[in-house]
Amino acid sequence: MAQDGRYATSPVSPLHSRYDQMFPVFTDSELRRMAEFGEARSFQQGERIIETGRLAPGMILILSGHVAITQRDGLGHITPVVDLGPGQFVGEVGQLSGRASLVDAHAEEAVEAIVIQPDRLRALLVAEADLGERVTRSLILRRVGLIQSGVGGPLILGAPDLPDVTRLKGFLARNGLPHHHVDPQNDPEAARLIEASPSCMRNLPWVVLADGAVLHNPTEAELARAMGVAGSVSSSAIYDVAIVGAGPAGLATAVYAASEGLSVAVLDARAYGGQAGASARIENYLGFPTGISGNALAGRAFVQAQKFGADIMIPVEVKSLDCRKEDGFFAIELEGAERVRARSVVIASGARYRRPAIPELPDFEGKGVWYWASPIEANLSSGQEVMVVGGGNSAGQAAVYLSGVASKVHMLVRGPGLAETMSRYLIDRIGAAANIELRTRTEIAALAGSPGRLERVRLLCHENGTETEHGVRNVFLFVGADPATGWLSDCGVTMDRPGFVATGASPHSHLETSVPGVFAVGDVRSGSVKRVGNAIGEGAQVVAALHTYLSGTRQSTA
């Protein structure tokens, strides 16, 4: 490896761009300013400073010596990433919240350093604005580089069209976690690993962690815990506000509330970003004239919330909200009998994808029927004909995105056209795409295929009553959503007939529900405009109401 902070020769080409931003060198005076937030540490030559899958001590500023950063997978492959020297630091986004490391770091020689623990790192980012900007940009770009390298992180073993392979890849991708996938049919090393196991344990997919541990088709929660990236639930902590849902509305609430000094917990069952996180490209959001993917937008907000100290717990399943306040606080009951206590609650749980009344639908969900169009599903559709169902902006974004990889996109709408339901720029783009065919007054009548894989779709055209069958292996459904409010059934929160949360009961805030101290923002709120910009706006607005409510409760208990 190079000894002056340059890249070692390695196949990790994505890391060769933006080097100065990814691995900045701080001056002596800047190091002295940063050192005030940490403690001096010494590491001996050859000592492992951080280890993949283990909690890192924090951000490590190198004063003297060199540190080698490498990636490691469960098959024993070690890939050099970079060699860091004096004036540089070891760490990436996970160090903001004390998550497990995604890389290994070894002292190549005796190293003198300053270790800045996560809480002090967050304080540094806020107190030293100019340095904080450079460090934050570096943290983000390093994570992006690790994801793009495609050589480290958990190794997923299984055929690419296995539904659970897609599920696990989607979970890791949506949460910005590096990983890579290997098909044992094409990889002798992976095949030998599987063949060496008892036959009763060969059902795929497997996930092989960096330490060699093998998880057999794990749940998302099991995988996150094994990787050390799941947020921990503290039974003793009492938050100022607990936010249920990490979509745009929930993340906006977290950023603004945490930046104004409130203690914040964010809970989500799957990933940050919500439905918006699966959008291939959002082109009508203020400040992004060339557009931005939903996952990139949500990823920035996720980092921003952590920067200000929000405690984000993903994945956790919220079971119910206890509004009795027996000990003076709201209690959010989680799967596994855990609970989160808070002085106030913001409902930002959004909506769940609506499922059309197609009898065979449950048989093919995750096996050719999708409710989002990410690069994972797009890769499965490469060179094939696909169907997109729906006439809203989400359907339009998906159709345009998929037209770049699919041979043909059949777009199905039950109405006479798109003008009443879709933004003009998307209509124009769909009209300009030679391989998108709009089928009006048409819906899916039936799905068919072999066990575990969609193969054929039968369509019904209401205009003439005819039915046609098409050989299609991937269908993307964007037919609206139902509110994710089942967990509120025992709390007394008023909802409208479809199940969205009613707000405006309080004279103090139009976002407060019928239960004082419980607020609702974003798509879950009755009467809200179902747009990313609106959700983010409500997430920002509710913070003022939280301050008003919390100041009143504190005065009453003083």
Side-chain angles (χ1 to χ4, degrees):
M1 283 192 179
Q3 297 294 312
D4 55 0
R6 295 174 298 167
Y7 276 95
T9 300
S10 119
V12 192
S13 58
L15 296 182
H16 285 259
S17 62
R18 294 188 176 183
Y19 176 81
D20 290 336
Q21 295 181 59
M22 295 176 77
F23 302 104
V25 180
F26 296 98
T27 65
D28 290 343
S29 62
E30 290 171 335
L31 289 173
R32 285 193 293 270
R33 288 162 57 192
M34 298 168 75
E36 294 180 7
F37 294 86
E39 298 179 351
R41 286 279 303 273
S42 298
F43 300 96
Q44 298 178 358
Q45 182 178 6
E47 183 176 349
R48 178 173 285 179
I49 298 175
I50 60 175
E51 181 178 356
T52 302
R54 302 290 181 89
L55 293 181
M59 188 177 91
I60 301 169
L61 288 174
I62 303 172
L63 303 180
S64 65
H66 286 79
V67 176
I69 309 297
T70 57
Q71 283 184 285
R72 172 166 50 99
D73 70 16
L75 298 180
H77 302 140
I78 297 176
T79 303
V81 176
V82 69
D83 180 77
L84 299 174
Q88 296 180 300
F89 73 87
V90 179
E92 54 89 48
V93 164
Q95 273 63 72
L96 281 175
S97 54
R99 298 293 201 269
S101 176
L102 301 177
V103 297
D104 294 328
H106 296 83
E108 292 191 296
E109 57 193 4
V111 170
E112 297 297 326
I114 300 293
V115 176
I116 305 176
Q117 296 183 0
D119 60 334
R120 299 298 294 156
L121 173 57
R122 295 192 296 268
L124 163 64
L125 300 184
V126 173
E128 297 282 356
D130 57 334
L131 295 176
E133 179 183 352
R134 293 169 64 193
V135 170
T136 302
R137 182 181 295 112
S138 172
L139 295 174
I140 294 171
L141 290 175
R142 291 182 185 194
R143 174 62 68 88
V144 171
L146 291 175
I147 294 171
Q148 293 179 344
S149 71
V151 296
L155 174 64
I156 301 173
L157 300 183
D161 60 350
L162 276 178
D164 285 310
V165 167
T166 304
R167 173 180 63 84
L168 293 168
K169 289 172 64 177
F171 170 72
L172 293 169
R174 289 283 299 276
N175 284 288
L177 295 169
H179 62 282
H180 60 295
H181 166 245
V182 169
D183 184 353
Q185 295 276 352
N186 303 321
D187 189 287
E189 192 174 5
R192 285 194 295 271
L193 176 65
I194 295 168
E195 290 168 3
S197 68
S199 58
C200 62
M201 300 177 65
R202 294 181 188 174
N203 289 335
L204 300 179
W206 290 2
V207 179
V208 187
L209 303 181
D211 62 0
V214 177
L215 307 178
H216 299 272
N217 196 16
T219 65
E220 288 90 337
E222 290 170 342
L223 177 55
R225 285 195 296 269
M227 292 176 62
V229 297
S232 59
V233 177
S234 171
S235 59
S236 60
I238 298 173
Y239 296 92
D240 288 323
V241 55
I243 303 164
V244 179
L251 289 174
T253 304
V255 168
Y256 286 100
S259 69
E260 294 183 14
L262 299 181
S263 58
V264 176
V266 184
L267 305 97
D268 198 282
R270 179 164 174 79
Y272 60 77
Q275 292 189 66
S279 295
R281 183 161 296 275
I282 302 170
E283 295 192 61
N284 59 350
Y285 185 67
L286 184 67
F288 293 93
T290 60
I292 184 171
S293 73
N295 190 253
L297 181 64
R300 295 180 184 192
F302 177 68
V303 173
Q304 198 172 12
Q306 291 179 91
K307 168 185 172 181
F308 290 118
D311 191 353
I312 301 181
M313 307 172 198
I314 299 175
V316 293
E317 186 75 36
V318 173
K319 304 299 292 181
S320 64
L321 174 61
D322 186 344
C323 295
R324 293 173 296 176
K325 301 179 71 173
E326 292 180 341
D327 55 359
F329 309 103
F330 294 102
I332 298 175
E333 308 290 342
L334 308 178
E335 187 79 49
E338 294 181 304
R339 55 167 35 194
V340 171
R341 295 187 296 166
R343 296 181 175 87
S344 63
V345 175
V346 172
I347 302 166
S349 46
R352 300 190 186 282
Y353 303 102
R354 186 170 295 156
R355 288 161 167 77
I358 304 171
E360 305 85 5
L361 185 64
D363 298 333
F364 296 108
E365 289 182 317
K367 305 168 186 176
V369 172
W370 315 102
Y371 297 91
W372 52 84
S374 77
I376 295 171
E377 292 76 33
N379 287 338
L380 294 174
S381 306
S382 180
Q384 303 177 18
E385 293 192 13
V386 302
M387 288 184 177
V388 174
V389 183
N393 279 3
S394 295
Q397 290 163 353
V400 170
Y401 173 58
L402 292 168
S403 69
V405 295
S407 61
K408 185 174 184 177
V409 178
H410 301 268
M411 192 169 187
L412 317 180
V413 293
R414 298 187 65 178
L418 302 173
E420 294 184 3
T421 56
M422 188 178 293
S423 295
R424 187 71 242 174
Y425 81 93
L426 282 171
I427 296 175
D428 293 343
R429 193 160 294 173
I430 289 168
N435 63 338
I436 299 179
E437 179 182 350
L438 178 63
R439 295 172 173 264
T440 60
R441 304 189 189 279
T442 301
E443 64 180 333
I444 294 176
L447 303 170
S450 58
R453 188 67 233 179
L454 176 67
E455 295 174 350
R456 300 180 305 283
V457 179
R458 190 164 77 248
L459 301 182
L460 169 63
C461 176
H462 290 283
E463 201 156 58
N464 53 28
T466 60
E467 291 191 3
T468 56
E469 188 166 277
H470 302 262
V472 170
R473 297 173 62 85
N474 291 286
V475 171
F476 298 83
L477 300 178
F478 298 90
V479 292
D482 298 313
T485 53
W487 58 282
L488 295 169
S489 58
D490 298 327
C491 188
V493 172
T494 301
M495 290 176 269
D496 63 14
R497 181 169 295 178
F500 292 93
V501 178
T503 58
S506 166
H508 304 296
S509 172
H510 72 287
L511 299 175
E512 192 165 19
T513 71
S514 57
V515 176
V518 178
F519 303 80
V521 295
D523 289 1
V524 76
R525 190 177 70 83
S526 178
S528 66
V529 178
K530 307 304 190 264
R531 289 287 187 272
V532 170
N534 183 78
I536 292 172
E538 290 190 359
Q541 291 175 42
V542 77
V543 175
L546 289 170
H547 279 300
T548 300
Y549 173 78
L550 291 171
S551 64
T553 59
R554 286 175 178 138
Q555 289 174 7
S556 65
T557 57

